Amino acid sequence: MADVTEGAQAPDFELETAEGPARLSDFAGRTLVLYFYPKDDTPGCTREAQDFSALAPEFAKAGATVIGVSKDSVKKHQNFAKKYDLAVRLGADPEGAVIERYGSWVEKSLYRRQYMGIDRSTFLIQDGVTRKIWRKVKVPGHAQQVLDAVKAL
């Protein structure tokens, strides 16, 4: 697992999105919210994407770009975004390389069964530096917490 810490350089990445590739270097001098979620079109992930989308104008006003990342394909992301009228970019990481680089590929447990999965986590990055990290995110109220942190930068 990668050791991403607040105050340290954010791990480099390149993700495919419906709008074209997204790289950490694209956000030099800017603010980026990178959030990792398990799967498109599932209840918690849909709610999280809708919450970030509802606040998208405020994130933009505060100078921040929001990108959600899962292992789903760009095509699946496009269908998900269209179905729920999402206003955030969605990055495809089918191999999980970026997810691992950010330490968000973790061992999970369900009904006493151990398996590997995506830790719902969010990284607030400003000019390439990780400013704040949220792990084991609970969806209700999270997008607002992140927006508040962006505004406090």
Side-chain angles (χ1 to χ4, degrees):
M1 178 166 135
D3 188 24
V4 182
T5 57
E6 291 181 4
Q9 185 68 30
D12 199 12
F13 68 83
E14 181 169 343
L15 295 162
E16 287 303 319
T17 75
E19 299 81 11
R23 298 172 198 81
L24 181 62
S25 59
D26 296 341
F27 300 95
R30 295 170 48 209
T31 303
L32 172 66
V33 173
L34 200 60
Y35 78 91
F36 296 90
Y37 65 96
K39 194 167 176 52
D40 286 351
D41 219 354
T42 55
C45 299
T46 299
R47 176 84 260 147
E48 186 174 26
Q50 289 174 320
D51 289 352
F52 274 115
S53 290
L55 295 173
E58 289 191 59
F59 276 103
K61 190 173 158 193
T65 299
V66 178
I67 301 178
V69 181
S70 77
K71 285 188 157 197
D72 293 303
S73 67
V74 171
K75 181 72 178 146
K76 194 152 188 257
H77 283 335
Q78 287 173 311
N79 293 340
F80 180 47
K82 186 175 181 185
K83 181 176 180 180
Y84 295 101
D85 197 26
L86 302 178
V88 294
R89 284 177 78 177
L90 299 174
D93 187 19
E95 304 301 316
V98 177
I99 296 163
E100 283 194 42
R101 209 169 294 142
Y102 276 79
S104 296
W105 186 249
V106 299
E107 188 173 278
K108 297 174 121 184
S109 175
L110 184 65
Y111 306 117
R112 290 186 273 179
R113 184 178 71 85
Q114 303 300 115
Y115 66 99
M116 295 301 290
I118 296 174
D119 170 39
R120 191 182 303 279
S121 48
T122 303
F123 298 81
L124 175 54
I125 300 165
Q126 185 183 47
D127 199 15
V129 176
T130 306
R131 298 292 179 198
K132 186 144 182 58
I133 300 171
W134 292 265
R135 298 262 186 211
K136 296 185 183 356
V137 166
K138 301 292 182 231
V139 173
H142 177 63
Q144 184 62 55
Q145 284 180 324
V146 176
L147 179 60
D148 292 344
V150 167
K151 288 178 174 178
L153 287 175

